[in-house]
Amino acid sequence: VAEVTAEYRATKDVVLRLPKGFDFKIEPFKHQKYGLALAAAHWRLFFLWEMRTGKTKTMLETLRLLRHLGRFRRGIVMGPPVVRAVWEAEAEVHASGEFRTYAWEPTDPEREKKGREADLVLVSYDGVRNEDAAAEEAYSALRAIQARTVRGTSKDIERLQVLARNPLHHLGHDVLVGDESHQFGNYESGRTQAVLRLADLSPRRYALSGTAGDQPSKFYSQLRFLARGLMPLDWTAFRTRFAITSSENKHIIVGFKHMDEINARVDRVATRMKQADCQQ
């Protein structure tokens, strides 16, 4: 990251050595080529780019290049509901139908089949949470039957075994994108725990956010999403080390300390971009 960043800062450009047969449908801006160079070369990357700097376009070009190189099969893109429509539209414009997309619907009985047929599965963070919660509920009920604390027939067991299988975990994806990743910044929430469980199954992971650090504690979940080694402390140890809590209520965080350590961890995996710095 540091080497490519130094080149871009010095020249405001990056020389891309594109493989034979690969070209752009729409030529990226220079800063997007810079992001592409970083993302294609790194399995984990934190895009701290401001809004309207073209993060979606940059990620789509990265996936196109990885596909051309035989390093990408299927990706899951998580985000708020509005992001799904953006990715569908951007994929059509910048990939010209190269990627088949599927907007994940938890109520669709064929969602796993459709997800396996797609190149990009677009799911909301609530959708990730709902699938995780449904699987956990079914698993608990199954355990109760097996422990004989409740009664259940063989058909009940078969039904619960199906429901306990989270379909998002069985799509055979190799890339996971967390768009607007600050939305899973609350480590203790069910949403964040569901996202982190899905992340454990994903070799390549990218977090995208223009406001990732409006609260320093949000960096904890986002770094854990990218790689647990980036933030090896458990949540309790993190709070003890970095959080300043209220003298009246230890559960209320009123400030942070040792911010240089948090920033250093972020810098290991982050690329930053402001609108004013973008080059055509």
Side-chain angles (χ1 to χ4, degrees):
V1 174
E3 182 179 341
V4 177
T5 299
E7 177 186 351
Y8 179 76
R9 286 177 177 172
T11 65
K12 291 300 181 184
D13 200 359
V14 172
V15 178
L16 291 179
R17 297 174 179 84
L18 298 175
K20 185 178 180 180
F22 180 86
D23 59 359
F24 298 114
K25 311 297 182 183
I26 299 176
E27 189 74 10
F29 293 131
K30 291 179 180 179
H31 73 279
Q32 292 172 328
K33 291 180 180 179
Y34 157 69
L36 166 60
L38 288 176
H42 295 84
W43 289 69
R44 314 286 168 86
L45 198 63
F46 202 169
F47 276 88
L48 296 179
W49 288 18
E50 285 186 347
M51 292 179 61
R52 299 184 178 87
T53 51
K55 296 187 289 292
T56 304
K57 157 76 169 174
T58 303
M59 279 307 312
L60 283 168
E61 296 295 4
T62 298
L63 297 179
R64 288 188 64 241
L65 178 57
L66 291 174
R67 166 69 64 83
H68 186 84
L69 296 172
R71 300 174 186 172
F72 165 66
R73 178 176 56 178
R74 180 175 302 110
I76 298 177
V77 179
M78 307 176 297
V82 67
V83 165
R84 296 195 306 176
V86 171
W87 274 80
E88 281 185 306
E90 292 282 292
E92 184 62 32
V93 171
H94 297 290
S96 300
E98 190 173 326
F99 291 139
R100 297 165 295 175
T101 62
Y102 171 61
W104 188 268
E105 294 295 342
T107 57
D108 184 353
E110 296 188 333
R111 60 193 182 282
E112 183 176 341
K113 175 178 178 294
K114 292 177 181 179
R116 285 181 171 274
E117 293 172 349
D119 301 297
L120 291 177
V121 176
L122 314 175
V123 57
S124 70
Y125 286 122
D126 286 339
V128 176
R129 166 58 176 155
N130 291 342
E131 291 288 3
D132 198 74
E136 182 61 30
E137 181 180 355
Y139 180 74
S140 296
L142 185 61
R143 289 290 300 272
I145 292 176
Q146 292 173 337
R148 298 183 179 181
T149 57
V150 298
R151 291 183 178 181
T153 66
S154 59
K155 288 187 176 180
D156 290 330
I157 293 175
E158 290 178 5
R159 178 179 61 84
L160 289 171
Q161 286 175 333
V162 171
L163 294 175
R165 182 179 182 277
N166 187 333
L168 277 173
H169 290 188
H170 295 84
L171 295 182
H173 68 285
D174 45 19
V175 173
L176 182 63
V177 178
D179 204 349
E180 304 293 343
S181 58
H182 53 275
Q183 295 211 6
F184 59 84
N186 179 4
Y187 179 74
E188 297 179 294
S189 72
R191 168 189 287 186
T192 298
Q193 293 305 310
V195 167
L196 294 180
R197 278 189 279 271
L198 184 58
D200 285 340
L201 305 173
S202 310
R204 284 186 180 268
R205 307 173 203 168
Y206 302 101
L208 286 56
S209 178
T211 56
D214 59 336
Q215 295 180 32
S217 59
K218 289 186 177 181
F219 277 130
Y220 180 83
S221 299
Q222 292 172 92
L223 289 175
R224 296 274 287 190
F225 164 80
L226 289 168
R228 292 181 184 267
L230 289 169
M231 187 56 74
L233 300 176
D234 64 30
W235 178 239
T236 300
F238 174 85
R239 282 174 56 99
T240 301
R241 174 63 180 164
F242 298 107
I244 302 172
T245 56
S246 169
S247 59
E248 298 178 356
N249 188 336
K250 65 179 182 180
H251 298 292
I252 298 177
I253 297 176
V254 297
F256 287 87
K257 54 189 176 181
H258 308 305
M259 283 300 301
D260 56 328
E261 295 182 25
I262 295 178
N263 291 332
R265 292 180 183 276
V266 174
D267 288 342
R268 289 174 59 188
V269 73
T271 167
R272 294 175 171 83
M273 186 66 62
K274 296 182 178 180
Q275 289 189 48
D277 298 327
C278 294
Q279 298 291 316
Q280 296 187 3

